[in-house]
């Protein structure tokens, strides 16, 4: 026993000092009993090092500890767990040392450890050299897990210093066949290996293809596995890797013929690149007469419904070649061609119609009837043509009048009262902190905090503690002034109120913030942001000094509007309680009070004056006088952008607090900084509309630079405010329309969808000026701020919801600007995507029965060639000349 103790002490001393050679020598020849005796001391040292600072001493001990602990475990499971422990991962012993200290064990035990290590996830970062060394020592079957296979591929592909090639290394490896077969079974392996599967003569693709040709790999099994992996689909990198491998294998015609069913499935459902390859294989088989008309029709049924225009057009070309080679196949193929009549691209529809017109005479009567029925899916313009060439029934009937389908205008929603209990309020605070919230949720929660802080602050603080534990300032060290600086610079939404209730921010800091506002320099957004923040600072300050019974400015409606009767009732309750209104809170209430109903305003003013308080008199005067009118605006250009400057807002009372006085200041966009805190933090923007409800132009003008960036610079997410701008009360003027125009040309699809939502809401409310929006879009496209292709995607989305007439009116005003450039210069800088835009315009004109002329359209239609721009210009001109309605 004493020998075991001395061996344990000697090993522990060597490990603690980081003497790897000495530790390895002590481990050599130890019995299992001696190893087990050493293990408790090593575990204690591991616990000690976990708590120790990461210094030179601990870094020196870790590799020796890693090797000694693995060697002293007598069970394979314990050894594998020790080797892959997270706390030992970053300072491991080398694979060579580990193989030395473990190499004297039984072969079965070593194989068990190897397989346990291979079953660990890749995040465990088990060295491949260790696993492969254990496999070699034990002679066990090679593991085929993801960790082992990925390690094998990386090891084979990265040892460039050896001077040989990937092919030579694969030939020398006795396990190549088993490991290559395993590659096809590992999910998402392409994303890990795509960078290793490069091009060139020494690439993995060429090496595997060479081994297959030489017979080292079973060719049929490899091809079948590759095709099966493509049929499974997956991430693009998987499809890319296995398609390139399949191409490198250079399948023979017999091999391609054996897998016709697989090619048919891939052409219909695989990603575009794989489908294109399958389409080319099937096309080659078709032209060689090795694919039956029925199989080609089956293939076309899947391909013609794909969204990739290149695939669809290639399929129509293939069908045309097949019909020319064998006219008798018309009975099978023409119904397949007619499936393209329902494609969203009218060019595809026209190609299919031409093909049907050319070969319909060779088809039997029942096929003709099937094709004629499918022609009802054609666009209105092509349906008129089909009525003449195919003999559609009812070609002479009068079309039904077009009916515009717009979404219902949003209805205003009331803000529910604050929760009655502190516990319920705390739950809502937690939800608001976790996921944000709209104006209604924020305002009712803020009012609830003020109400419950007035009634029982201690009970509220106790209820809030569990929901604010993740906020960094809750346990901040009071010796550091970071919390005070944090809340002095910005209230951070509800956080300043929560910190006040929990005693984490001083009254002095709140007083300075309440009196002097933010420390930062003003920016173009700060006029509205300062008013929003001032009310939060005041609410927090009053909680510390003179709590308010409730807030006067809590809106009645989610838009931020406050009913005058409700404000009068709140002032009456303040009078009864003898409470002093907050200066900022009352100013916000005046800005929010609704004054568009003169009768109700006059009645509320009379009741307010009867209160006999200073605030009641101010409210009465406010309700009986005209409010601030919208300022003048002027357009300015900056590079490719068109922006707005606003003049001073008249009518802001002089007794308003300084933060609210700033709302009336002019907006000079080119004197402001391009970036500020509000540029990066979008969380509070949707509250700014509720600061000045009914005056959305003020907010839109201040956000116009950010809105233009989604189109000009390709920023993401700034257009999310557009639906809120559209739903907000007030006039929709230049700023709102310009913001929607930029959003429709945004780079990212989610921003374009936000702009489409805003466009449809404005149209449903009757507040969309299509002439103004179209003119703005035309100028922005001419300047290059909005790309026609992006705009085409946006307006097509809007039109397909049923707003064809609205979209047509917009494009009718926008297109002449670009058409004029074409007529003048022969080409436009923004011509890319112009054909798509004309296609949307033509479809809208066809569906709505639009007639008339469009400036400069004839010159575009008379241009030579058959480009999409020219063909769609001709289509639009024909529609406007003849008038086609759905």
């Amino acid at each position: 026993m004493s020998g075991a103790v001395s061996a344990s002490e000697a090993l522990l001393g060597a490990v603690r000092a980081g003497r790897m050679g000495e530790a390895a020598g002590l481990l050599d020849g130890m019995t299992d009993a001696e190893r087990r005796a050493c293990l408790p001391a090593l575990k204690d040292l591991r616990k000690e090092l976990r708590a120790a600072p990461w210094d030179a001493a601990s870094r020196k001990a870790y590799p020796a500890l890693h090797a000694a602990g693995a060697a002293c475990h007598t069970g394979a499971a314990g050894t594998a767990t020790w080797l892959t422990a997270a706390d030992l991962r970053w300072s491991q012993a080398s694979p060579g040392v580990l193989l030395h200290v473990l190499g004297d064990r039984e072969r079965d035990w070593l194989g068990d450890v190897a397989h346990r290590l291979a079953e660990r996830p890749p995040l465990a970062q088990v060295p491949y050299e260790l696993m492969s060394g254990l496999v070699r020592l034990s002679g066990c079957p090679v593991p085929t897990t993801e960790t082992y296979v990925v390690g094998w591929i990386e090891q084979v592909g990265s040892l460039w210093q050896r001077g040989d090639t990937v092919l030579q290394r694969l030939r020398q490896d006795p396990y190549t066949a088993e490991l290559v077969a395993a590659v096809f079974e590992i999910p998402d392996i392409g994303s890990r290996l795509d960078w290793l599967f490069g091009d060139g003569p020494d690439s993995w693709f060429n090496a595997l293809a060479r081994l297959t040709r030489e017979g080292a790999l079973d060719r049929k099994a490899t091809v079948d596995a590759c095709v099966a992996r493509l049929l499974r689909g997956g991430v693009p990198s998987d499809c890319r890797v296995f398609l390139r491998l399949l191409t490198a294998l250079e399948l023979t015609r017999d091999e391609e013929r054996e897998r016709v069913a697989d090619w048919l499935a891939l052409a219909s459902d695989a990603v575009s690149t794989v489908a294109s390859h399958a389409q080319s294989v099937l096309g080659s088989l078709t032209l060689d007469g090795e694919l039956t008309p029925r199989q080609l029709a089956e293939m076309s049924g899947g391909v013609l419904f794909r969204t990739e225009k290149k695939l669809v057009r290639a399929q129509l070309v293939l069908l045309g070649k097949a019909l020319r080679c064998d006219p008798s196949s018309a009975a099978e193929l023409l119904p397949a061609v007619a499936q393209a009549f329902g494609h969203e691209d009218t060019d595809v529809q026209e190609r299919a119609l031409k093909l049907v017109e050319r070969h319909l005479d060779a088809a039997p009567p029942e096929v003709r009837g099937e094709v004629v029925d499918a022609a009802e899916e054609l666009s209105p313009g092509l349906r008129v043509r089909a009525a003449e060439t195919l003999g559609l029934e009812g070609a002479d009937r009068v079309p039904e009048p077009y009916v515009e389908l717009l979404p219902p205008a949003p209805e205003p929603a009331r803000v529910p009262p604050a929760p009655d209990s502190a516990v319920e309020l705390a739950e809502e605070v937690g939800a608001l902190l976790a996921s944000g919230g709209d104006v209604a949720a924020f305002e009712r929660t803020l009012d609830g905090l003020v109400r419950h802080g007035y009634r029982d602050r201690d009970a509220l603080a106790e209820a809030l503690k569990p929901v604010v534990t993740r906020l960094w300032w809750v346990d901040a060290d009071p010796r550091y002034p970071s919390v005070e600086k944090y809340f002095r610079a910005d209230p951070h939404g509800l956080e300043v109120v929560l910190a006040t209730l929990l005693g984490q921010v001083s009254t002095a800091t709140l007083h300075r913030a309440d009196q002097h506002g933010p420390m930062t320099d003003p920016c173009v957004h700060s006029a509205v942001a300062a008013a929003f923040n001032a009310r939060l600072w005041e609410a927090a300050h009053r909680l510390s000094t003179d709590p308010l019974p409730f807030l006067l400015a809590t809106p009645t409606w989610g838009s931020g509007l406050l009913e005058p009767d409700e404000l009068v009732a709140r002032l009456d309750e303040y009078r009864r309680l003898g409470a002093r209104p907050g200066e900022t809170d009352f100013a916000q209430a005046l800005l929010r009070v609704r004054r568009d109903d003169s009768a109700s305003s006059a009645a509320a003013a009379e009741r307010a004056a009867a209160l006999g308080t200073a605030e009641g008199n101010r409210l009465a005067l406010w309700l009986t006088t005209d409010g601030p009118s919208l300022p003048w605006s002027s357009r300015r250009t900056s590079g490719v952008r068109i922006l707005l400057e606003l003049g001073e807002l008249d009518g802001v009372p002089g007794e308003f607090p300084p933060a609210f006085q700033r709302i009336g200041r002019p907006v000079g966009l080119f004197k402001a900084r391009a970036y500020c805190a509000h540029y990066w933090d979008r969380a509070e923007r949707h509250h700014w509309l509720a600061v000045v409800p009914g005056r959305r132009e003020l907010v839109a003008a201040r956000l116009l630079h950010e809105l233009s960036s989604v189109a000009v610079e390709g920023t993401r997410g700034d257009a999310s405010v557009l639906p809120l701008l559209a739903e907000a009360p007030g006039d929709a003027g230049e700023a709102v329309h310009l913001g929607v125009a930029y959003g429709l040309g945004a780079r990212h699809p989610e921003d374009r969808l936000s702009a489409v939502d805003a466009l449809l809401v404005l149209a449903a409310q009757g507040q969309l000026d299509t002439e103004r929006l179209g003119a703005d879009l035309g100028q922005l496209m001419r300047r290059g701020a909005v790309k026609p292709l992006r705009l085409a995607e946006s307006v097509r989305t809007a039109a397909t919801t049923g707003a064809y007439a609205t979209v047509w009116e917009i494009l009718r005003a926008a297109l002449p600007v670009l058409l004029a450039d074409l007529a003048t210069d022969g080409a436009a800088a923004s011509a890319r995507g112009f054909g798509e835009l004309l296609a949307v315009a033509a479809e809208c004109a066809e569906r709505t029965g639009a007639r008339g002329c469009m400036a400069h359209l004839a010159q575009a239609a008379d241009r030579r060639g058959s480009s999409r721009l020219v063909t769609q210009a001709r289509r639009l001109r024909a529609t406007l000349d003849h008038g086609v309605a759905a």
Side-chain angles (χ1 to χ4, degrees), residues 46 66 70 77-89 92 98 113 116-121 123-127 130-131 147:
R46 180 180 171 186
H66 186 238
T79 297
T81 301
W82 184 278
L83 286 170
T84 57
D87 59 321
L88 301 173
R89 184 177 304 161
Q92 300 183 19
L98 293 173
V113 172
R116 289 179 183 274
L117 292 177
E119 289 169 0
R120 299 285 172 168
L123 289 176
Q125 299 180 355
V126 182
L130 173 61
M131 294 184 290
T147 294

Side-chain angles (χ1 to χ4, degrees), residues 359-711:
H359 298 280
L360 190 59
D361 291 340
E366 62 272 14
V367 172
R368 182 182 184 90
E370 188 177 346
V371 171
V372 167
D373 290 340
E376 293 294 333
E377 299 294 324
L378 289 167
S379 66
L382 292 176
R383 196 158 60 242
V384 170
R385 169 178 161 182
E388 300 173 357
T389 59
L390 304 182
L392 292 181
E393 294 182 2
D396 298 330
R397 67 173 182 261
V398 178
E400 296 181 2
Y402 171 77
V403 178
E404 185 84 340
L405 297 177
L406 292 172
E411 296 290 334
R414 277 189 170 270
V415 177
D420 290 330
S421 71
V423 174
E424 184 182 356
L425 175 63
E427 292 175 354
E428 297 204 5
V429 169
L432 205 61
L433 292 175
S435 59
D438 56 12
V439 170
F442 181 87
E443 291 288 345
R444 73 187 294 261
T445 304
L446 176 61
D447 184 51
L449 291 171
V450 171
R451 288 175 183 268
H452 286 279
Y454 177 80
R455 297 175 194 168
D456 191 342
R457 176 171 174 169
D458 292 338
L460 176 59
E462 190 64 27
L464 288 172
K465 286 180 181 178
V467 302
V468 299
T469 53
R470 293 187 178 182
L471 297 176
W472 70 271
W473 45 259
V474 171
D475 297 321
D477 192 330
R479 294 175 297 174
Y480 299 99
S482 55
V483 177
E484 303 295 332
K485 291 181 179 179
Y486 181 72
F487 289 116
R488 177 66 184 88
D490 192 281
H492 300 283
L494 290 180
E495 287 189 40
V496 69
V497 179
L498 299 173
T500 302
L501 290 167
L502 296 175
Q504 291 296 107
V505 59
S506 68
T507 303
T509 295
L510 294 173
H511 176 73
R512 286 195 298 272
D514 184 33
Q515 293 297 313
H516 304 293
M519 295 184 295
T520 56
D521 294 332
C523 64
V524 70
H525 313 96
S526 63
V528 185
F532 175 73
N533 291 340
R535 185 160 162 260
L536 293 168
W537 272 318
E538 181 187 74
H541 182 237
R542 290 291 295 270
L543 277 171
S544 292
T545 55
D546 182 16
L548 298 167
F550 51 85
L551 293 175
L552 294 172
T554 302
T556 307
W557 305 99
S559 63
L561 288 173
L562 172 60
E563 291 297 327
D565 289 342
E566 197 165 335
L567 181 54
V568 172
R570 292 174 185 174
L571 288 174
D572 188 24
E573 182 65 12
Y574 261 65
R575 180 188 60 81
R576 189 187 67 79
L577 294 173
R580 176 173 62 88
E583 182 183 8
T584 302
D585 186 39
F586 182 61
Q588 179 64 90
L590 292 181
L591 278 180
R592 284 178 171 173
V593 71
R594 189 169 65 87
R595 298 192 291 178
D596 56 358
D597 186 339
S598 57
S600 63
S601 295
E606 185 177 346
R607 292 193 297 274
L611 294 177
T613 63
E615 287 77 16
N617 293 333
R618 285 179 61 187
L619 175 59
L621 180 62
W622 181 262
L623 290 172
T624 53
T625 57
D626 293 333
S629 58
L630 287 176
W632 58 265
S633 63
S634 61
R635 293 193 168 210
R636 297 288 185 269
T637 58
S638 175
V640 298
R641 305 176 202 248
I642 298 175
L643 301 174
L644 290 179
E645 290 189 334
L646 297 184
E648 189 170 356
L649 181 67
D650 296 328
V652 178
E655 61 270 21
F656 268 28
F660 285 83
Q661 290 287 342
R662 296 168 63 180
I663 293 176
R665 294 179 183 175
V667 178
L669 294 177
F670 303 103
K671 295 180 181 178
R673 298 190 305 274
Y675 302 104
C676 63
H678 306 105
Y679 181 87
W680 306 111
D681 183 8
R682 305 185 182 108
E684 295 178 357
R685 290 182 187 177
H686 59 288
H687 294 292
W688 295 351
L689 287 163
V691 174
V692 284
R695 301 175 181 86
R696 54 182 162 183
E697 280 288 293
L698 294 178
V699 178
R702 287 174 167 83
L703 291 174
L704 201 52
H705 190 278
E706 284 76 20
L707 291 173
S708 68
S709 295
V710 301

Side-chain angles (χ1 to χ4, degrees), residues 21 72 150 218 399 412 424-425 641 659 683 710 734 750 753 829 874 880:
C72 288
V150 171
D218 184 276
E424 184 182 356
L425 175 63
R641 305 176 202 248
V710 301
E734 281 189 293
E750 60 268 31
L753 285 176
R874 292 168 183 166
L880 295 178

